[in-house]
Amino acid sequence: MNDDSRPSSPNAPPQDLWSSILNSVSSSRSIPAKNVLVLGQPSTGKSTLVSALLQRPPADAGKDEPRTDYALGYDWADVRDEGEEDILARLSVYTVPSSAPPYTALVPHFLQPQSAIPHTAIVIVLDWTRPWTFLEELHTWLAWIERARELEVTREEHRERWQAHLQHYTEPSAEPLPATSSALQGTILPLGPGTFTHNTAGVPIIVACTKADLIDDNTDLVGAGASGMGGMVKGKGGEWEERTDGIMQILRTICLKYGASLFYTTPQPTTLNVLRQYALHVLFVPPAPSPDGALDSTAAPVRNPFPFALKPNTLDRDRIVVPAGWDSWGKIAVLRDGFDAKAWGEAWEHDLSSDAGIDMDGEASARKLYASLVQDQGPKPTPLPPLNNPTPEQAFLAKNYDENARRADRDPRGIFRTPTDASAPPAAGLVGPLGSSWRASSAGTSLGGLGLGKRAGAPTSPILGSAPSPTGQTQHEVLQNFFKSLLNTKDRAASPGTSAPPPTGPRTSGGGAGGGGTSTSGDSQTDPDAGSGAEDG
């Protein structure tokens, strides 16, 4: 008997037997994981869409505190079948709060392009209360999606899958399909002009215009109303309808280039539920059939567990539904005459070329054309005051020095000089020598007690000045002569053998040998020889 036919070690334990059993069971009952990436600027209604996708009440309903935005929001929920029995998928929703690079740079760390692209749908949120921002935001987000690249083989595989979905789209109908339709299933029609020229990754894109119930806000005031679109609503009627229809035609033209769908939503659960049904539908799009399988009539087609049976709607302004694969340039032009979808598509291409650094001088720009169609009615920031650059101190003084030196009235020392007009009263609050008229009128009273009443030109203030007196002498000379006279008087009184000067004031008689007379002059009180003279007389 051959030894190789028997096990080498009958008692050896099996290698990872239990793990292999668990892996086989989990693979047979695994729950597929699907992702939805919600892109939009702040306050565009992203939280309402996320709550609808997860079938939960709005996160901020019934709360007074402000809602918190995260750098990258995340939430998940299980998707069940109609009977709410079996779990068909696990839906993860990621929310990017802004197009700023610090936020968008976080997405590849959570959604790896190579593994997540086949199971991810992208929702771009636009706000109908700010329609003038539609093209600018679309350009920003779509350019970011184009930059999120992965391996060439993987990208081509996803693009073929989504292109096959667009080519095999059939409008839902309540009537039974004709018998010949099965024979035409293998026939693939080419895509129309301007269809799926971009979106190299083949990711499903949904453009959701929120707050569509405020399109026809009943107000004629600029900037008023709940929608803040008073400036555009003004002149409502035919003109306003043409303008909003033109906006929808432009959005449909751009969505057609990326193989994207267009939906208008309101806070009503009906429109939000339609968006959720379509998101699940595109998440479970089957892979593209192989050429051999397309010709094999016995091969059963892969069934989408979430069919989308709602017909397209381009007439109800608050619930527009344009699925990917249905639209075309011809259908866009039917909505309103005079719209050139080809020209708008070329203008969009010019914007993309300008961003790539290609000079497109003189070519039409889609964003500029849209700005002329929809005027910006948003709040404008308050302009900053002009920059005040003060002149350096030394430069300012040097500039005004010569002018101040030539003008006497600008000299601050002039307030201390005698006014030229003698009749003018002295200025209030000025400290300095008083005018000559005041000195002349008060010379007898102010200087009488010092015996200087006869000196009309004597100054009345100890502050030295240079103005001439009525006698032709300056105030310096008047003061000098005054103090010299005082010194001379004291010297004569102090020297012996000299007679005292006669009293300057009147004396009263009536005194006898006893000297009963009384002097009224202040000099008799200060002269020590006055009493002795009376006794000798």
Side-chain angles (χ1 to χ4, degrees):
M1 185 176 182
N2 191 2
D3 294 339
D4 296 337
S5 63
R6 294 182 299 175
S8 59
S9 179
N11 299 327
Q15 298 294 331
D16 296 333
L17 177 60
W18 184 245
S19 299
S20 61
I21 295 176
L22 292 178
N23 291 335
S24 62
V25 174
S26 61
S27 60
S28 62
R29 302 184 59 182
S30 61
I31 300 175
K34 300 297 180 178
N35 308 307
V36 175
L37 182 61
V38 181
L39 308 176
Q41 299 296 345
S43 303
T44 53
K46 299 187 298 295
S47 59
T48 303
L49 291 183
V50 171
S51 301
L53 292 173
L54 300 175
Q55 288 191 326
R56 296 177 182 175
D60 54 353
K63 297 183 179 179
D64 296 334
E65 63 270 12
R67 184 176 53 85
T68 303
D69 280 338
Y70 301 96
L72 184 66
Y74 172 77
D75 205 346
W76 66 276
D78 290 332
V79 180
R80 298 180 178 273
D81 57 4
E82 297 180 358
E84 296 294 332
E85 296 179 357
D86 297 333
I87 299 177
L88 301 181
R90 178 158 294 168
L91 183 63
S92 298
V93 180
Y94 298 85
T95 306
V96 180
S98 172
S99 60
Y103 298 122
T104 56
L106 298 175
V107 177
H109 297 283
F110 296 90
L111 291 175
Q112 297 294 333
Q114 298 182 12
S115 58
I117 287 295
H119 311 285
T120 303
I122 298 179
V123 179
I124 301 177
V125 183
L126 304 178
D127 187 357
W128 250 115
T129 62
R130 293 176 291 180
W132 48 86
T133 63
F134 280 1
L135 242 62
E136 192 68 34
E137 293 182 10
L138 267 182
H139 183 274
T140 301
W141 290 119
L142 292 175
W144 177 79
I145 294 173
E146 286 290 270
R147 290 193 299 267
R149 300 179 180 272
E150 66 278 358
L151 297 177
E152 187 70 21
V153 177
T154 308
R155 182 170 65 248
E156 289 297 331
E157 178 183 351
H158 302 331
R159 181 174 175 83
E160 291 177 359
R161 177 179 69 98
W162 191 246
Q163 180 174 344
H165 171 73
L166 300 179
Q167 292 175 332
H168 290 85
Y169 175 83
T170 55
E171 184 174 347
S173 176
E175 300 178 359
L177 296 177
T180 58
S181 62
S182 58
L184 298 176
Q185 288 181 357
T187 304
I188 300 178
L189 299 177
L191 296 176
T195 303
F196 201 40
T197 58
H198 294 73
N199 188 10
T200 56
V203 59
I205 301 175
I206 304 173
V207 178
C209 298
T210 61
K211 308 174 187 178
D213 54 324
L214 301 178
I215 293 179
D216 295 331
D217 189 15
N218 294 322
T219 179
D220 293 333
L221 300 177
V222 176
S227 67
M229 294 169 52
M232 293 187 61
V233 177
K234 189 174 182 179
K236 193 172 52 177
E239 179 184 356
W240 170 238
E241 291 183 0
E242 289 182 1
R243 191 175 302 178
T244 53
D245 288 344
I247 294 174
M248 183 171 61
Q249 287 176 311
I250 296 171
L251 295 179
R252 289 171 59 183
T253 302
I254 298 174
C255 289
L256 188 65
K257 299 178 72 64
Y258 290 82
S261 56
L262 178 65
F263 285 76
Y264 284 13
T265 65
T266 66
Q268 299 297 327
T270 304
T271 58
L272 296 174
N273 188 36
V274 170
L275 179 64
R276 179 180 181 273
Q277 292 178 10
Y278 187 77
L280 295 176
H281 173 72
V282 298
L283 284 173
F284 286 88
V285 169
S290 62
D292 297 337
L295 299 176
D296 188 4
S297 59
T298 60
V302 180
R303 177 179 174 274
N304 192 326
F306 295 96
F308 186 72
L310 191 64
K311 290 184 178 182
N313 183 5
T314 59
L315 300 179
D316 295 333
R317 300 158 58 82
D318 58 345
R319 54 188 65 192
I320 299 296
V321 176
V322 182
W326 173 83
D327 215 352
S328 63
W329 280 0
K331 296 177 181 178
I332 295 174
V334 169
L335 180 64
R336 184 73 61 177
D337 294 337
F339 182 81
D340 190 353
K342 180 179 179 181
W344 276 97
E346 293 176 352
W348 180 265
E349 296 293 339
H350 295 160
D351 286 350
L352 297 180
S353 300
S354 300
D355 294 341
I358 302 175
D359 187 12
M360 303 299 295
D361 189 16
E363 300 293 344
S365 170
R367 285 178 289 182
K368 292 182 179 179
L369 293 175
Y370 186 81
S372 63
L373 174 66
V374 185
Q375 301 296 330
D376 187 355
Q377 300 292 334
K380 304 299 186 299
T382 304
L384 297 176
L387 181 62
N388 184 12
N389 190 11
T391 306
E393 179 182 358
Q394 295 301 324
F396 174 79
L397 295 176
K399 177 183 177 182
N400 297 276
Y401 175 75
D402 295 337
E403 181 181 355
N404 292 335
R406 289 192 300 266
R407 297 179 57 181
D409 58 337
R410 300 294 298 272
D411 190 355
R413 296 174 296 177
I415 61 176
F416 298 102
R417 296 176 180 173
T418 305
T420 56
D421 187 4
S423 62
L430 299 181
V431 179
L434 300 178
S436 59
S437 60
W438 186 86
R439 292 198 302 269
S441 62
S442 59
T445 58
S446 62
L447 302 178
L450 299 176
L452 302 177
K454 296 180 180 180
R455 298 180 182 272
T460 59
S461 173
I463 301 178
L464 300 180
S466 60
S469 65
T471 60
Q473 296 177 339
T474 62
Q475 293 185 4
H476 295 281
E477 296 174 349
V478 172
L479 288 175
Q480 184 178 5
N481 293 336
F482 168 67
F483 285 110
K484 282 182 178 181
S485 64
L486 292 180
L487 294 175
N488 294 335
T489 302
K490 292 183 180 180
D491 292 342
R492 289 195 301 270
S495 58
T498 59
S499 59
T504 58
R507 296 177 181 274
T508 58
S509 61
T518 305
S519 174
T520 62
S521 174
D523 295 340
S524 62
Q525 299 176 3
T526 60
D527 191 354
D529 298 334
S532 62
E535 293 177 357
D536 294 340

